[in-house]
Amino acid sequence: MTVIAVFNQKGGVGKTTVTANLAATLVQNGIAPLVIDLDPQAHLTATWGLNPKSNQTMYRFYQGTSPLTDLIQTSGPGIHFIPSHLELARVDSQLGKHRDHLWRLKLALEAEMLAGSGTPIIIDCSPMLGILSFSALLAADLILIPVAAEYLALNGACMLERTLFGLEKFDRRRERRYLVNRFKEGHETHEKVRAQLQKHFPRELLNTIIHENDDIMAAVGDNLDVFSYAPDSLAGTDFSFLLDELIEKGLIGIET
């Protein structure tokens, strides 16, 4: 079963909305995913209207006082969720950067039989390079990289590729796919950025595009996904295409 880390070193590219709506797309297809918010900013946790105490979140796991299964909540229709908390920002200083800590999440997912259980797992990652982000990347089967259609995001994608290459010194190469996000058809800059991504990552750029759509942000404001907020939205169609492409290319396995 697939563990997907949604990651980009550059903030503000839409990784949290991609995580939330990919999870909702799975639910629309009768699949209940497990979603982990591993970003101390806890935007995904707030998106789903939650305000947990630190001992109800991933911070407790990294303190070593709780297994993952004890932290799972139900969020929305059919999504199993482990929330985040600002206290997670303390993990790097508390644990240091000893290599063993980088494997903690992967080992826990396997030991608690969450990875390989038949449930897709999606991790919303911190953009900061540290124990949290690296442990998510090492736990992942697939790294999904949202890239906003702007030049700075393109530069960030190139920097990220170097980071992922360095990670291969520790373990095998992970599949990675770049996803163009917040795209406007016919917009000169957006078209150029997509063309450059195609040039740099010809085999790893997804065909699916998530178009800029007001319904996505409006849904966030109401603590909803796009399917709950606007069932007939074009944004929902984009995310349905995304899931279809990931399945068709064998990048995510599902069991119904």
Side-chain angles (χ1 to χ4, degrees), residues 129-187:
L129 295 178
I131 288 175
L132 296 175
S133 55
F134 282 127
S135 62
L137 296 174
L138 289 169
D141 302 303
L142 170 67
I143 302 169
L144 181 61
I145 306 158
V147 182
E150 57 186 49
Y151 288 120
L152 290 178
L154 174 61
N155 291 338
C158 295
M159 292 174 58
L160 174 58
E161 185 65 15
R162 292 194 290 271
T163 298
L164 296 179
F165 180 76
L167 200 64
E168 292 170 22
K169 297 176 182 178
F170 295 94
D171 201 26
R172 62 179 173 82
R173 176 183 175 86
R174 263 71 178 170
E175 287 284 352
R176 78 267 327 238
R177 290 297 184 272
Y178 294 85
L179 172 67
V180 178
N181 193 31
R182 298 176 182 164
F183 183 82
K184 288 184 181 179
E185 299 284 354
H187 189 289

Side-chain angles (χ1 to χ4, degrees), residues 84-161:
S84 181
H85 192 278
L86 184 60
E87 289 291 311
L88 264 179
R90 301 172 60 185
V91 166
D92 279 323
S93 61
Q94 289 176 338
L95 299 183
K97 291 186 170 62
H98 194 280
R99 187 177 299 181
D100 289 350
H101 294 306
L102 302 179
W103 298 98
R104 179 178 290 192
L105 180 59
K106 177 180 175 64
L107 294 174
L109 289 171
E110 293 173 350
E112 297 181 45
M113 298 196 306
L114 294 170
S117 67
T119 298
I121 299 170
I122 309 175
I123 306 171
D124 187 23
C125 299
S126 167
M128 301 297 294
L129 295 178
I131 288 175
L132 296 175
S133 55
F134 282 127
S135 62
L137 296 174
L138 289 169
D141 302 303
L142 170 67
I143 302 169
L144 181 61
I145 306 158
V147 182
E150 57 186 49
Y151 288 120
L152 290 178
L154 174 61
N155 291 338
C158 295
M159 292 174 58
L160 174 58
E161 185 65 15

Side-chain angles (χ1 to χ4, degrees), residues 6-42:
V6 183
F7 178 68
N8 197 319
Q9 284 174 242
K10 186 181 185 306
V13 296
K15 63 181 182 57
T16 296
T17 53
V18 167
T19 300
N21 287 299
L22 178 57
T25 308
L26 285 161
V27 172
Q28 290 291 308
N29 285 269
I31 304 150
L34 169 63
V35 180
I36 300 173
D37 188 352
L38 207 57
D39 187 347
Q41 298 175 92

Side-chain angles (χ1 to χ4, degrees), residues 11 120 128 188 196 243:
M128 301 297 294
E188 182 178 1
Q196 285 297 310
L243 179 59

